């Protein structure tokens, strides 16, 4: 049969791309339209005290118009609240990476260390992060280090487990090459173990960061101070439901950004995709 003309093939490919783009745009818009419809129904027929979508939108524009105002320690804009929460998450996440990733390497390389630590990790890993908050308050006697301590405890387990799993998943051929080259421990880690386990390490970090962002909101709701969680709880005490809905949207948006950043890093550092 005669081959189809190239312009027709190019036109068909262009139409398929356009249809794919329209689906990516229209389907999420349809979902949000249904959500707004349900929201309006709840306001009109179920709970009239629940703010309407238009009312919440106007309030959101007012709050986001000045996110960094500062009228004292108990009256700061939502931008400052977010920055304080992100700072706590960054501090706890960084400490967990400094401790958890090397510990994961040691566990993956040494069966004795794994046998010694695995029972403790399996016991502590399922514990709710907020269960550690009273311990943090008792140890540090302050809100900020206690919240960082909770984030640290939350983040460290996925990092340890994923890193150890990555080390154990390294093909034996790699280790044979290291033995032939007579690599020392540091050279083995730098040239073979770390590059080969990097996708596992970044996956553990990605999981940890997502969990940490959820936990910091709950921790701040309980401890008070400055932070998006405290701001949300304070708005509830003021019966400002529009601010609560705005806070939920902002928390979700920041969570998406953090996950996209870690996903980008995971893709760039995965040697199997190069």
């Amino acid at each position: 049969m005669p081959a189809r003309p190239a312009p027709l093939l190019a036109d068909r490919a262009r139409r398929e791309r356009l249809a794919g783009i329209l689906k990516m745009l229209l389907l999420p818009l349809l979902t949000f339209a249904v959500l707004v419809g349900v929201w309006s129904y709840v306001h009109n027929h179920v709970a009239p005290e629940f703010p309407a979508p238009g009312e919440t939108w106007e309030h959101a524009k007012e709050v986001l118009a000045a996110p960094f105002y500062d009228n004292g320690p108990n009256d700061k804009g939502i931008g400052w609240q977010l920055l304080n929460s992100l700072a706590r998450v960054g501090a706890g996440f960084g400490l967990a990476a400094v401790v958890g990733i090397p510990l994961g390497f040691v566990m993956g390389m040494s069966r004795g260390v794994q046998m010694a630590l695995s029972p403790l990790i399996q016991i502590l890993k399922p514990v709710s992060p907020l269960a550690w908050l009273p311990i943090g308050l008792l140890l540090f006697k302050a809100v900020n280090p206690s919240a960082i301590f909770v984030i640290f405890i939350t983040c460290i387990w996925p990092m340890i487990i994923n890193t150890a799993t990555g080390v154990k998943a390294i093909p034996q051929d790699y280790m044979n090459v290291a033995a032939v080259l007579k690599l020392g421990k540091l050279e083995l880690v730098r040239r073979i173990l770390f590059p080969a386990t990097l996708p596992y390490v970044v996956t553990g970090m990605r999981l940890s960061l997502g969990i940490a962002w959820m936990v910091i909101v709950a921790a701040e709701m309980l401890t008070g101070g400055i932070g998006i969680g405290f701001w949300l709880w304070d708005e509830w005490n003021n019966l400002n439901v529009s601010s609560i809905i705005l806070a939920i949207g902002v928390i979700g948006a920041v969570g998406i950004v953090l996950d996209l950043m870690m996903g980008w890093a995971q893709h760039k550092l995965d040697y199997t995709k190069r």
Side-chain angles (χ1 to χ4, degrees):
M1 295 178 63
R4 298 185 66 182
L8 291 179
L9 293 174
D11 186 60
R12 179 179 178 182
R14 190 160 45 246
R15 288 199 306 269
E16 290 177 351
R17 285 198 301 268
L18 180 60
I21 293 173
L22 288 176
K23 286 182 180 179
M24 291 177 60
L25 294 175
L26 293 178
L27 291 179
L29 288 176
L30 178 62
T31 301
F32 281 106
V34 172
L35 175 63
V36 172
V38 173
W39 184 353
S40 299
Y41 179 84
V42 170
H43 169 72
N44 293 324
H45 302 285
V46 179
E49 66 276 9
F50 197 81
E55 178 187 345
T56 304
W57 174 250
E58 294 300 323
H59 179 74
K61 289 195 296 183
E62 180 182 344
V63 172
L64 297 177
F68 291 102
Y69 77 86
D70 188 351
N71 294 333
N74 297 321
D75 188 11
K76 294 180 182 291
I78 192 172
W80 292 119
Q81 311 289 348
L82 274 176
L83 289 179
N84 277 272
S85 296
L86 288 170
R88 294 189 184 103
V89 169
F93 179 79
L95 288 173
V98 169
V99 176
I101 293 174
L103 190 57
F105 272 105
V106 175
M107 285 184 61
M109 296 170 62
S110 172
R111 182 159 181 80
V113 174
Q114 181 184 357
M115 293 176 64
L117 295 181
S118 287
L120 179 64
I121 292 174
Q122 295 304 320
I123 290 172
L124 298 181
K125 182 169 65 73
V127 176
S128 172
L130 294 183
W132 295 99
L133 187 57
I135 304 297
L137 292 171
L138 178 64
L139 292 175
F140 300 105
K141 307 293 192 300
V143 170
N144 200 49
S146 299
I148 293 173
F149 170 75
V150 172
I151 296 301
F152 169 80
I153 291 293
T154 299
C155 290
I156 195 168
W157 311 125
M159 293 187 190
I160 293 175
I161 294 171
N162 273 56
T163 303
T165 302
V167 173
K168 289 185 288 186
I170 294 176
Q172 185 60 39
D173 292 344
Y174 290 13
M175 307 306 293
N176 294 338
V177 170
V180 170
L181 296 176
K182 297 180 180 180
L183 298 180
K185 289 289 185 182
L186 291 179
E187 285 294 305
L188 177 65
V189 172
R190 186 174 68 86
R191 293 190 177 187
I192 295 180
L193 297 185
F194 187 72
T197 58
L198 199 54
Y200 290 86
V201 173
V202 179
T203 298
M205 295 174 69
R206 186 177 183 179
L207 292 172
S208 296
L209 187 59
I211 298 171
W213 184 240
M214 289 190 295
V215 170
I216 191 62
V217 175
E220 289 172 345
M221 289 174 70
L222 295 176
T223 57
I226 302 174
I228 190 65
F230 168 73
W231 188 78
L232 189 153
W233 190 251
D234 190 52
E235 292 302 302
W236 165 248
N237 291 329
N238 295 328
L239 298 179
N240 195 341
V241 183
S242 294
S243 290
I244 295 173
I245 297 172
L246 171 61
I248 291 171
V250 170
I251 291 167
V254 173
I256 290 173
V257 172
L258 294 176
D259 186 70
L260 289 175
M261 291 171 57
M262 292 303 300
W264 176 84
Q266 184 178 14
H267 178 77
K268 289 295 183 182
L269 297 175
D270 190 349
Y271 71 94
T272 63
K273 297 180 180 178
R274 295 176 186 173

